[in-house]
Amino acid sequence: MSPPRIGVLALQGDVREHLAALRVCGADAVPVRRRAELDDVDALVLPGGESTTISHLLREFDLLAPLRDRLAAGMPAYGSCAGMILLATEIVDAGVPGRAAIPLSAIDMTVRRNAFGRQVDSFEGDIAFDGFAEPVHAVFIRAPWVERVGSDVQVLARAAGHPVAVRQGKVLATSFHPEVTGDRRLHRLFVEMVAGRA
């Protein structure tokens, strides 16, 4: 059986780090910048970066509507930090009109951008993660948090009293950056979700 082909949206953010982590976990990982590349993957990772910039680039590269369509049709996805923001149904403090972050509505949740503060307020620490025996060392960089989840959304981890990792069906999101820590459990979980094993 061939490994799942998982794309990493390669418009901004930790693209190389996500690709490397996915490959370690057995996926055929490829960068995605064009419609044909999106059409050719089984699943997609939306990395961190700046959610308003990524939204702008999705429009510029004519990927916004195709990505929304793939997500609506059930394509598995994982978003970290800015990726979590974009996967939401509603974004608080989305940005200035015309340059705001655009929700892709893949997880029934409301997310607040930069909820933990600005760049200087970035931090890291160990957090309990549902399903993992050991805590996850989480790196939060201008991170969002989740303010509301729908009834079908599973909260996997919390920090400062707010959800920071969630799952709805085959869509996973974290407000932190597992790709920078060397802990591959989240990427392995996503690969197993794509393969139908988790």
Side-chain angles (χ1 to χ4, degrees):
M1 184 173 169
S2 59
R5 188 171 179 83
I6 301 179
V8 177
L9 187 64
L11 303 179
Q12 192 192 45
D14 289 341
V15 176
R16 285 177 298 186
E17 292 84 351
H18 278 292
L19 288 168
L22 290 165
R23 288 170 182 150
V24 166
C25 296
D28 175 16
V30 295
V32 170
R33 292 183 193 87
R34 296 174 180 82
R35 169 73 182 268
E37 294 165 342
L38 177 62
D39 292 342
D40 195 41
V41 296
D42 302 313
L44 187 70
V45 171
L46 289 78
E50 214 293 311
S51 56
T52 59
T53 300
I54 296 172
S55 295
H56 172 72
L57 292 171
L58 283 170
R59 286 191 298 259
E60 289 294 308
F61 282 75
D62 292 322
L63 283 171
L64 183 59
L67 177 52
R68 270 197 175 134
D69 290 346
R70 287 291 314 270
L71 290 169
M75 177 182 69
Y78 166 50
S80 62
C81 198
M84 169 187 256
I85 295 167
L86 296 174
L87 290 174
T89 49
E90 183 182 14
I91 303 168
V92 179
D93 293 336
V96 298
R99 291 286 295 185
I102 300 172
L104 297 169
S105 300
I107 297 178
D108 182 10
M109 63 180 174
T110 301
V111 173
R112 180 176 293 276
R113 289 176 69 238
N114 303 331
F116 286 101
R118 304 189 64 76
Q119 192 80 20
V120 295
D121 301 308
S122 300
F123 67 99
E124 54 188 274
D126 292 341
I127 59 173
F129 195 99
D130 189 31
F132 292 168
E134 299 296 326
V136 169
H137 189 73
V139 176
F140 295 88
I141 304 170
R142 292 180 60 201
W145 67 39
V146 178
E147 297 203 336
R148 178 201 61 84
V149 294
S151 58
D152 293 334
V153 178
Q154 179 185 7
V155 175
L156 301 172
R158 294 178 182 271
H162 292 277
V164 294
V166 295
R167 175 181 177 178
Q168 184 173 9
K170 289 192 173 184
V171 184
L172 178 69
T174 62
S175 63
F176 52 90
H177 293 265
E179 75 278 4
V180 301
T181 66
D183 184 342
R184 300 299 176 232
R185 287 177 293 169
L186 268 160
H187 289 86
R188 189 167 294 110
L189 171 62
F190 182 58
V191 171
E192 290 173 352
M193 286 167 57
V194 176
R197 297 191 298 264

